[in-house]
Amino acid sequence: MSEEPVFVRSKWGTGRYVYNHRNPVGLALIVLAPLIALGVMFGMQAESTWSESELRDAVRKGVADLEGKQHYTSLESDRGFLIAEAIQESGIGPRYGVYTHKDEGGGYTVSTADTESEYCVRITLTLDKQPPVVFPGAEDQPPPAPGMFAFYRSVATFSEGSCH
């Protein structure tokens, strides 16, 4: 093994320690450190962008998770939030960057800035007949007005392409 130390003081006047290129371990560190840093940067970039297959799988799983799920909302509320939340909670792809746009037909076009794919998600809400809390002796409540909050069950479907 070399008698040279792995680290030596910089000769550039800073007094910092730097890798010693005359030591085999120091030379290996000089070569490997930038390669490892590049690998980490590429890995971070890959984890922060959506791929076509990730978006497809996340939409599929998000729609499946919405099926029969109970929500406390109103019929007039924007359902795009429910869709984006279900896709983000699917655990597929990054946790951000999902966009939903409500179309005239009632569907929501789901897309990302990283992909060209779009999916049409339609979600319908039906009043949940079994509220989670029932008070003894309480009389039956009338159905909520369209702007009132109540418990609803969701039914969701999706198809490829934007909603028209």
Side-chain angles (χ1 to χ4, degrees):
M1 188 122 187
S2 174
E3 299 278 333
E4 292 281 335
V6 176
F7 299 99
V8 293
R9 284 203 181 265
S10 172
K11 295 181 182 175
W12 290 53
T14 60
R16 298 181 315 170
Y17 282 92
V18 295
Y19 298 133
N20 183 1
H21 67 281
R22 291 187 185 101
N23 183 300
V25 174
L27 184 60
L29 289 172
I30 290 171
V31 172
L32 290 177
L35 295 176
I36 291 171
L38 282 173
V40 168
M41 288 173 51
F42 281 121
M44 287 173 50
Q45 191 270 340
E47 290 294 320
S48 67
T49 58
W50 285 93
S51 70
E52 300 288 337
S53 62
E54 283 177 333
L55 179 60
R56 180 190 63 242
D57 294 344
V59 168
R60 181 176 287 133
K61 185 166 184 342
V63 166
D65 291 346
L66 280 173
E67 191 67 31
K69 187 174 181 182
Q70 187 180 53
H71 306 281
Y72 186 69
T73 186
S74 74
L75 290 176
E76 294 177 349
S77 296
D78 181 25
R79 298 174 196 159
F81 173 74
L82 297 175
I83 296 166
E85 184 179 53
I87 291 170
Q88 291 167 352
E89 289 178 357
S90 71
I92 301 171
R95 297 266 184 234
Y96 55 90
V98 175
Y99 305 112
T100 58
H101 173 71
K102 185 175 182 177
D103 294 310
E104 294 174 11
Y108 291 83
T109 300
V110 177
S111 63
T112 68
D114 303 323
T115 61
E116 294 181 12
S117 298
E118 293 180 326
Y119 295 90
C120 178
V121 177
R122 297 188 186 280
I123 184 169
T124 55
L125 299 175
T126 56
L127 187 62
D128 190 359
K129 302 293 185 194
Q130 300 290 328
V133 178
V134 178
F135 296 104
E139 53 187 75
D140 291 339
Q141 296 290 324
M148 292 180 61
F149 278 73
F151 288 99
Y152 293 93
R153 295 272 176 193
S154 61
V155 176
T157 60
F158 80 98
S159 59
E160 285 192 36
S162 64
C163 301
H164 296 302

